[in-house]
């Protein structure tokens, strides 16, 4: 009986979050949605944890379905990766994020725009050239764009990813290790990739003020990152306690619902006004 219970035990958070009970999205639906411009970025602010100043935004995919409403990425990114549609999705997201970055910069808002990359994209022949053509077309500088890659995916594909990442870094793109602390990478593996930023996973950030072990891991990751001269980012800051703890731990940049939820591009100026008044 115990064995049965153990077999069905699932670690918390292991099951994908379901937001509704509608049937899963199909490959065909996503293909059409991408062509129709239904997949758009929402932007979540990344702010300086001391001054509160806006430093950048992260682009997060949202599928604006005409009948079902907004579909979150957890419901279609895994399918996109299985079917290969992720390559088109990455390009669609990049095009919009770069065009938005150019608009913001032309209005004097010099913030970095981060884009999530699937590890699969790093293996596409000609991927680097495609991105370079795109930044030329949109007249943005590579150093205004940050590419976020999850720690787990980097480790799994290090051989393939390394060359592509090194070339992107040489061109000036920022490279961020996403979800740090969940991927079991070794220091040796990470040291081989020219990262510029380390994003501590939400599970360390949110639990840290009540759990000493998490706090110790968090602090040592921050210490290591700053010695490697990486920009440190804490994601998933939800409470004022989280914020203060990260501030005291010397983290540079914060992101989370406490500061702002992801929002459409046109809401950013209004948020910024209210944020500065605080
Ligand atoms: P991620 O890159 O780790 O992004 C952070 C996720 O945490 C986002 O969920 C964001 O909305 C959410 N979040 C931000 N602040 C808080 C907070 O304070 N508390 C909590 N509980 N959550 C917070 P979202 O937008 O649903 O995205 C989920 C994942 O889907 C992303 O995780 C990323 O891995 C993937 N994803 C999203 N957009 C893209 C994309 O354009 N391309 C690729 N390849 N993956 C994407
Ligand atoms: Ca991310
Ligand atoms: Ca993350
Ligand atoms: Ca994540």
């Amino acid at each position: 009986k115990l064995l049965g219970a153990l077999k069905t035990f699932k670690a918390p958070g292991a099951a994908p979050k379901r937001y509704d009970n509608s049937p899963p999205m199909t490959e065909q639906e996503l293909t059409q949605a991408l062509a129709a411009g239904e997949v758009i970025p929402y932007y979540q602010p990344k702010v300086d944890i001391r001054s509160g100043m806006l430093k950048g935004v992260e682009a997060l995919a949202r599928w604006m379905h005409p009948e079902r409403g907004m579909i979150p990425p957890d419901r279609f990114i895994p399918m996109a990766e299985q079917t290969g549609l992720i390559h088109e999705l990455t390009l669609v997201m990049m095009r919009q994020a770069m065009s938005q970055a150019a608009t913001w910069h032309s209005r004097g808002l010099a913030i970095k725009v981060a884009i999530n990359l699937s590890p699969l994209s790093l293996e596409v022949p000609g991927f680097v050239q495609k991105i370079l053509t795109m930044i030329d077309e949109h007249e943005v500088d590579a150093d205004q764009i940050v590419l976020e890659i999850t720690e787990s995916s980097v480790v799994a594909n290090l051989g393939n990813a390394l060359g592509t990442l090194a070339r992107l870094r040489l061109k000036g793109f920022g490279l961020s290790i996403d979800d740090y602390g969940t991927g079991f990478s070794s220091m040796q593996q990470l040291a081989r990739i020219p990262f510029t930023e380390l994003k501590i996973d939400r599970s360390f950030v949110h639990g840290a003020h009540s759990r000493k072990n998490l706090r110790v891991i968090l602090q040592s990751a921050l210490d290591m990152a700053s010695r490697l001269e990486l920009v440190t980012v804490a994601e998933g800051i939800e409470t004022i306690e989280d914020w203060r703890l990260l501030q005291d731990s010397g983290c540079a940049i914060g992101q989370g619902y406490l500061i702002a939820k992801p929002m459409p591009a046109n809401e950013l100026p209004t948020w910024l006004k209210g944020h500065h008044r605080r």
Side-chain angles (χ1 to χ4, degrees), residues 216-230:
V216 172
I217 297 171
L218 176 76
Q219 189 66 59
S220 53
L222 288 171
D223 292 345
M224 174 200 71
S226 53
R227 274 185 223 149
L228 291 169
E229 293 177 32
L230 301 176

PDB file of all heavy atoms in Angstrom, residues 216-230:
ATOM      1  N   VAL A 216      20.726  30.134   2.785  1.00  0.00           N
ATOM      2  CA  VAL A 216      22.161  29.869   2.631  1.00  0.00           C
ATOM      3  C   VAL A 216      22.498  29.634   1.150  1.00  0.00           C
ATOM      4  O   VAL A 216      23.468  30.187   0.622  1.00  0.00           O
ATOM      5  CB  VAL A 216      22.582  28.647   3.482  1.00  0.00           C
ATOM      6  CG1 VAL A 216      24.013  28.236   3.175  1.00  0.00           C
ATOM      7  CG2 VAL A 216      22.419  28.963   4.962  1.00  0.00           C
ATOM      8  N   ILE A 217      21.665  28.846   0.480  1.00  0.00           N
ATOM      9  CA  ILE A 217      21.905  28.569  -0.946  1.00  0.00           C
ATOM     10  C   ILE A 217      21.795  29.857  -1.760  1.00  0.00           C
ATOM     11  O   ILE A 217      22.638  30.150  -2.604  1.00  0.00           O
ATOM     12  CB  ILE A 217      20.892  27.526  -1.466  1.00  0.00           C
ATOM     13  CG1 ILE A 217      21.085  26.200  -0.730  1.00  0.00           C
ATOM     14  CG2 ILE A 217      21.051  27.332  -2.971  1.00  0.00           C
ATOM     15  CD1 ILE A 217      20.008  25.174  -1.015  1.00  0.00           C
ATOM     16  N   LEU A 218      20.757  30.621  -1.432  1.00  0.00           N
ATOM     17  CA  LEU A 218      20.538  31.896  -2.122  1.00  0.00           C
ATOM     18  C   LEU A 218      21.748  32.810  -1.979  1.00  0.00           C
ATOM     19  O   LEU A 218      22.272  33.354  -2.961  1.00  0.00           O
ATOM     20  CB  LEU A 218      19.300  32.583  -1.525  1.00  0.00           C
ATOM     21  CG  LEU A 218      18.948  33.966  -2.038  1.00  0.00           C
ATOM     22  CD1 LEU A 218      18.311  33.852  -3.420  1.00  0.00           C
ATOM     23  CD2 LEU A 218      17.978  34.659  -1.088  1.00  0.00           C
ATOM     24  N   GLN A 219      22.219  32.934  -0.733  1.00  0.00           N
ATOM     25  CA  GLN A 219      23.349  33.830  -0.479  1.00  0.00           C
ATOM     26  C   GLN A 219      24.608  33.352  -1.205  1.00  0.00           C
ATOM     27  O   GLN A 219      25.329  34.164  -1.791  1.00  0.00           O
ATOM     28  CB  GLN A 219      23.605  33.937   1.032  1.00  0.00           C
ATOM     29  CG  GLN A 219      24.620  35.025   1.386  1.00  0.00           C
ATOM     30  CD  GLN A 219      24.098  36.429   1.055  1.00  0.00           C
ATOM     31  OE1 GLN A 219      23.063  36.848   1.578  1.00  0.00           O
ATOM     32  NE2 GLN A 219      24.792  37.143   0.187  1.00  0.00           N
ATOM     33  N   SER A 220      24.844  32.048  -1.207  1.00  0.00           N
ATOM     34  CA  SER A 220      26.079  31.608  -1.860  1.00  0.00           C
ATOM     35  C   SER A 220      25.986  31.748  -3.377  1.00  0.00           C
ATOM     36  O   SER A 220      26.982  32.061  -4.034  1.00  0.00           O
ATOM     37  CB  SER A 220      26.476  30.192  -1.437  1.00  0.00           C
ATOM     38  OG  SER A 220      25.416  29.319  -1.637  1.00  0.00           O
ATOM     39  N   ALA A 221      24.785  31.560  -3.937  1.00  0.00           N
ATOM     40  CA  ALA A 221      24.623  31.768  -5.383  1.00  0.00           C
ATOM     41  C   ALA A 221      24.869  33.241  -5.739  1.00  0.00           C
ATOM     42  O   ALA A 221      25.541  33.546  -6.724  1.00  0.00           O
ATOM     43  CB  ALA A 221      23.226  31.350  -5.825  1.00  0.00           C
ATOM     44  N   LEU A 222      24.360  34.139  -4.894  1.00  0.00           N
ATOM     45  CA  LEU A 222      24.558  35.575  -5.154  1.00  0.00           C
ATOM     46  C   LEU A 222      26.029  35.953  -5.038  1.00  0.00           C
ATOM     47  O   LEU A 222      26.550  36.721  -5.851  1.00  0.00           O
ATOM     48  CB  LEU A 222      23.715  36.416  -4.192  1.00  0.00           C
ATOM     49  CG  LEU A 222      22.199  36.403  -4.437  1.00  0.00           C
ATOM     50  CD1 LEU A 222      21.455  37.082  -3.298  1.00  0.00           C
ATOM     51  CD2 LEU A 222      21.863  37.060  -5.770  1.00  0.00           C
ATOM     52  N   ASP A 223      26.691  35.398  -4.020  1.00  0.00           N
ATOM     53  CA  ASP A 223      28.116  35.693  -3.842  1.00  0.00           C
ATOM     54  C   ASP A 223      28.927  35.202  -5.041  1.00  0.00           C
ATOM     55  O   ASP A 223      29.771  35.925  -5.571  1.00  0.00           O
ATOM     56  CB  ASP A 223      28.648  35.042  -2.558  1.00  0.00           C
ATOM     57  CG  ASP A 223      28.043  35.686  -1.311  1.00  0.00           C
ATOM     58  OD1 ASP A 223      27.458  36.788  -1.433  1.00  0.00           O
ATOM     59  OD2 ASP A 223      28.145  35.087  -0.225  1.00  0.00           O
ATOM     60  N   MET A 224      28.636  33.976  -5.443  1.00  0.00           N
ATOM     61  CA  MET A 224      29.354  33.421  -6.597  1.00  0.00           C
ATOM     62  C   MET A 224      29.118  34.287  -7.826  1.00  0.00           C
ATOM     63  O   MET A 224      30.059  34.670  -8.526  1.00  0.00           O
ATOM     64  CB  MET A 224      28.873  31.998  -6.879  1.00  0.00           C
ATOM     65  CG  MET A 224      29.473  31.430  -8.142  1.00  0.00           C
ATOM     66  SD  MET A 224      28.546  30.036  -8.811  1.00  0.00           S
ATOM     67  CE  MET A 224      27.081  30.847  -9.429  1.00  0.00           C
ATOM     68  N   ALA A 225      27.860  34.620  -8.076  1.00  0.00           N
ATOM     69  CA  ALA A 225      27.523  35.389  -9.279  1.00  0.00           C
ATOM     70  C   ALA A 225      28.211  36.747  -9.286  1.00  0.00           C
ATOM     71  O   ALA A 225      28.731  37.179 -10.308  1.00  0.00           O
ATOM     72  CB  ALA A 225      26.017  35.569  -9.378  1.00  0.00           C
ATOM     73  N   SER A 226      28.255  37.407  -8.129  1.00  0.00           N
ATOM     74  CA  SER A 226      28.875  38.730  -8.172  1.00  0.00           C
ATOM     75  C   SER A 226      30.389  38.625  -8.334  1.00  0.00           C
ATOM     76  O   SER A 226      30.991  39.469  -8.988  1.00  0.00           O
ATOM     77  CB  SER A 226      28.474  39.601  -6.977  1.00  0.00           C
ATOM     78  OG  SER A 226      28.711  38.929  -5.789  1.00  0.00           O
ATOM     79  N   ARG A 227      30.976  37.554  -7.802  1.00  0.00           N
ATOM     80  CA  ARG A 227      32.408  37.377  -8.069  1.00  0.00           C
ATOM     81  C   ARG A 227      32.697  37.071  -9.523  1.00  0.00           C
ATOM     82  O   ARG A 227      33.751  37.409 -10.049  1.00  0.00           O
ATOM     83  CB  ARG A 227      32.983  36.267  -7.180  1.00  0.00           C
ATOM     84  CG  ARG A 227      33.391  36.847  -5.847  1.00  0.00           C
ATOM     85  CD  ARG A 227      34.080  35.832  -4.980  1.00  0.00           C
ATOM     86  NE  ARG A 227      33.565  35.975  -3.639  1.00  0.00           N
ATOM     87  CZ  ARG A 227      33.454  34.998  -2.764  1.00  0.00           C
ATOM     88  NH1 ARG A 227      33.826  33.775  -3.096  1.00  0.00           N
ATOM     89  NH2 ARG A 227      32.986  35.226  -1.574  1.00  0.00           N
ATOM     90  N   LEU A 228      31.733  36.413 -10.170  1.00  0.00           N
ATOM     91  CA  LEU A 228      31.891  36.157 -11.609  1.00  0.00           C
ATOM     92  C   LEU A 228      31.483  37.384 -12.433  1.00  0.00           C
ATOM     93  O   LEU A 228      31.445  37.332 -13.660  1.00  0.00           O
ATOM     94  CB  LEU A 228      31.035  34.956 -12.025  1.00  0.00           C
ATOM     95  CG  LEU A 228      31.481  33.590 -11.504  1.00  0.00           C
ATOM     96  CD1 LEU A 228      30.405  32.534 -11.769  1.00  0.00           C
ATOM     97  CD2 LEU A 228      32.799  33.161 -12.146  1.00  0.00           C
ATOM     98  N   GLU A 229      31.151  38.464 -11.725  1.00  0.00           N
ATOM     99  CA  GLU A 229      30.708  39.718 -12.351  1.00  0.00           C
ATOM    100  C   GLU A 229      29.464  39.536 -13.203  1.00  0.00           C
ATOM    101  O   GLU A 229      29.315  40.146 -14.258  1.00  0.00           O
ATOM    102  CB  GLU A 229      31.857  40.361 -13.139  1.00  0.00           C
ATOM    103  CG  GLU A 229      32.960  40.817 -12.191  1.00  0.00           C
ATOM    104  CD  GLU A 229      34.171  41.390 -12.921  1.00  0.00           C
ATOM    105  OE1 GLU A 229      33.997  41.982 -13.997  1.00  0.00           O
ATOM    106  OE2 GLU A 229      35.280  41.244 -12.385  1.00  0.00           O
ATOM    107  N   LEU A 230      28.569  38.693 -12.724  1.00  0.00           N
ATOM    108  CA  LEU A 230      27.284  38.531 -13.388  1.00  0.00           C
ATOM    109  C   LEU A 230      26.270  39.452 -12.724  1.00  0.00           C
ATOM    110  O   LEU A 230      26.319  39.663 -11.514  1.00  0.00           O
ATOM    111  CB  LEU A 230      26.790  37.087 -13.262  1.00  0.00           C
ATOM    112  CG  LEU A 230      27.684  35.994 -13.840  1.00  0.00           C
ATOM    113  CD1 LEU A 230      27.084  34.621 -13.545  1.00  0.00           C
ATOM    114  CD2 LEU A 230      27.842  36.200 -15.337  1.00  0.00           C
TER     115      LEU A 230
END
